[in-house]
Amino acid sequence: QVQLVESGGGLVQAGGSLRLSCVASRSIFSLNVMGWYRQAPGKERELVATIRGRDDRPNYAESVKGRFTISRDKARNTVTVYLQMNSLKPEDTGVYYCNVRDVWGSDFWGQGTQVTVSS
């Protein structure tokens, strides 16, 4: 099992910034991919950004390229994944979920954190 604890959501005006954090209770060596997804009301959950554990290679949805940056820190037995969100738009509003996939192919999800961007 992997425990994921998210923080950093909130209400911000369009053009503003937020930084999301997700602490995963697992060594980086057992995590394959880490990332963020979001779900807007009435819509399906969609990928926002991922980062590979072995080489930090990022992957972004087209809608957030150039505005969002995913990164990670690692300690001995935990990994923290960040999502820096700049130039936020109202369409970025949604519940943001942290996701990790371990090297055995199992997926784990955080509880979600609300991001609301007002126009």
Side-chain angles (χ1 to χ4, degrees):
Q1 285 293 323
V2 179
Q3 300 225 336
L4 302 174
V5 180
E6 300 158 343
S7 61
L11 172 64
V12 65
Q13 288 189 333
S17 298
L18 284 173
R19 189 192 198 201
L20 305 183
S21 300
C22 173
V23 180
S25 59
R26 180 76 74 86
S27 166
I28 185 64
F29 299 108
S30 69
L31 297 179
N32 190 14
V33 180
M34 296 150 281
W36 291 92
Y37 291 71
R38 68 187 179 191
Q39 188 166 19
K43 295 188 177 181
E44 293 187 354
R45 191 173 298 187
E46 63 176 359
L47 180 147
V48 176
T50 61
I51 186 167
R52 284 201 312 209
R54 67 176 185 270
D55 58 9
D56 286 350
R57 181 175 179 176
N59 177 54
Y60 297 98
E62 285 296 325
S63 60
V64 307
K65 280 183 179 178
R67 300 187 297 122
F68 291 10
T69 302
I70 189 169
S71 61
R72 65 163 181 86
D73 285 337
K74 60 179 171 77
R76 182 172 180 178
N77 293 309
T78 62
V79 178
T80 302
V81 183
Y82 302 98
L83 185 68
Q84 178 67 43
M85 304 186 294
N86 298 329
S87 302
L88 282 161
K89 304 176 181 180
E91 51 263 44
D92 294 318
T93 294
V95 179
Y96 283 67
Y97 296 92
C98 178
N99 168 267
V100 300
R101 175 169 292 179
D102 67 18
V103 295
W104 300 279
S106 295
D107 273 315
F108 302 92
W109 294 91
Q111 78 281 4
T113 185
Q114 178 70 44
V115 171
T116 303
V117 184
S118 63
S119 57

